[in-house]
Amino acid sequence: MNVTRPIPKFGFAATFLLVALAGMLLAGPGAATADTSGAAGTAQRTDGVQLTEGAPDQDGEQQGPDCSVDRCIALTFDDGPGEHTGRLLDTLDAHGARATFYVLGSKVADAPGTVERMADEGHEVGNHTWDHPDLTELSQEEIRSELGRTDKAIAAATGSRPKTVRPPYGALDGTVRESVTQPLLLWDVDTLDWQSLDADAVTDAAVEGATEGSVVLFHDIHESTVEAIPHVLRELSAQGYTFVTVGELFDAQDMEPGSAYSDARLR
């Protein structure tokens, strides 16, 4: 006699378990599972790799330089904007390089569109006074007037107040330090471009003097300097450098108003 055996029935929990196991087998070892520990913005993959929200995965977009990992260097340009600044911006854009421009307030007032372009293209704009005086020869009131007028001109062009000041000639004293409300940015590599007015000499000075964490001084008012920059970018790129703004270079440091900084090498 043939006996038909009934098909066993599974409860809801057992069915769910079977479906879950099948899903894990199909997904393979690289599947990601949600982190239920309560830590915001993280997930744990079954292969042990942690993903952090806001940090790019292998297929994510670059979020910006990390100067604790990258060989960062800051190219800085003083005394502009000038007639050659637009060409310099074209060069930087073509190379994907960011820089910092220490502009004169009087020139910002004459060329606000150029300064706006600097900010729009990811460069930093800093305060280099209104008309380039030696601040050590001015009173506290005069220093604040020079810097305050320039802050306003830059903010009008870019929408943001500059975060750092570069005193003309690098001239500092106690009165200057007490008068500023931002950190003072100097340099550790002086290309002396204003003196040589020679593109080859400017290139050599920048490339030979630069090290990781350097702040390199140029003046974009000189055509020879602008002619040198493509060579500087190529040669330093070949050495593995990443070109960043001073804000990015010093991001890991607590910069104090009135304190002077010439490079980002931690001592």
Side-chain angles (χ1 to χ4, degrees), residues 6-193:
I7 299 173
K9 296 181 179 180
F10 297 98
F12 174 78
T15 303
F16 179 82
L17 179 59
L18 287 171
V19 172
L21 287 171
M24 290 176 66
L25 289 171
L26 288 172
T33 59
D35 181 0
T36 58
S37 65
T42 64
Q44 180 70 44
R45 290 190 348 193
T46 56
D47 58 3
V49 178
Q50 279 200 337
L51 305 179
T52 303
E53 187 174 318
D57 193 10
Q58 291 179 350
D59 298 326
E61 294 183 0
Q62 179 70 25
Q63 298 298 309
D66 179 355
C67 292
S68 67
V69 177
D70 300 326
R71 298 188 70 198
C72 291
I73 190 170
L75 307 184
T76 65
F77 299 90
D78 286 11
D79 296 353
E83 61 178 309
H84 309 294
T85 304
R87 178 181 165 195
L88 172 60
L89 289 169
D90 292 341
T91 299
L92 294 169
D93 180 60
H95 195 90
R98 287 195 285 273
T100 302
F101 291 84
Y102 284 100
V103 297
L104 297 176
S106 57
K107 293 187 176 181
V108 175
D110 293 335
T114 301
V115 178
E116 181 182 16
R117 179 185 171 189
M118 293 172 184
D120 287 347
E121 295 183 359
H123 307 294
E124 187 172 337
V125 182
N127 188 324
H128 198 42
T129 74
W130 185 262
D131 54 6
H132 210 274
D134 182 336
L135 295 180
T136 63
E137 298 178 355
L138 303 183
S139 67
Q140 191 170 79
E141 182 180 350
E142 290 170 327
I143 293 170
R144 288 175 173 167
S145 174
E146 279 277 337
L147 299 176
R149 292 176 69 192
T150 306
D151 276 353
K152 290 179 181 178
I154 292 171
T158 67
S160 300
R161 179 175 176 268
K163 295 180 180 179
T164 58
V165 169
R166 174 166 285 168
Y169 317 107
L172 293 173
D173 62 10
T175 302
V176 174
R177 293 176 185 272
E178 293 171 3
S179 301
V180 301
T181 58
Q182 299 117 302
L184 297 158
L185 242 297
L186 304 179
W187 57 87
D188 67 310
V189 179
D190 189 347
T191 61
L192 297 174
D193 55 348

Side-chain angles (χ1 to χ4, degrees), residues 248-262:
E248 292 167 331
L249 188 69
F250 288 89
D251 182 59
Q253 301 186 33
D254 293 326
M255 302 177 72
E256 300 289 338
S259 294
Y261 303 84
S262 60

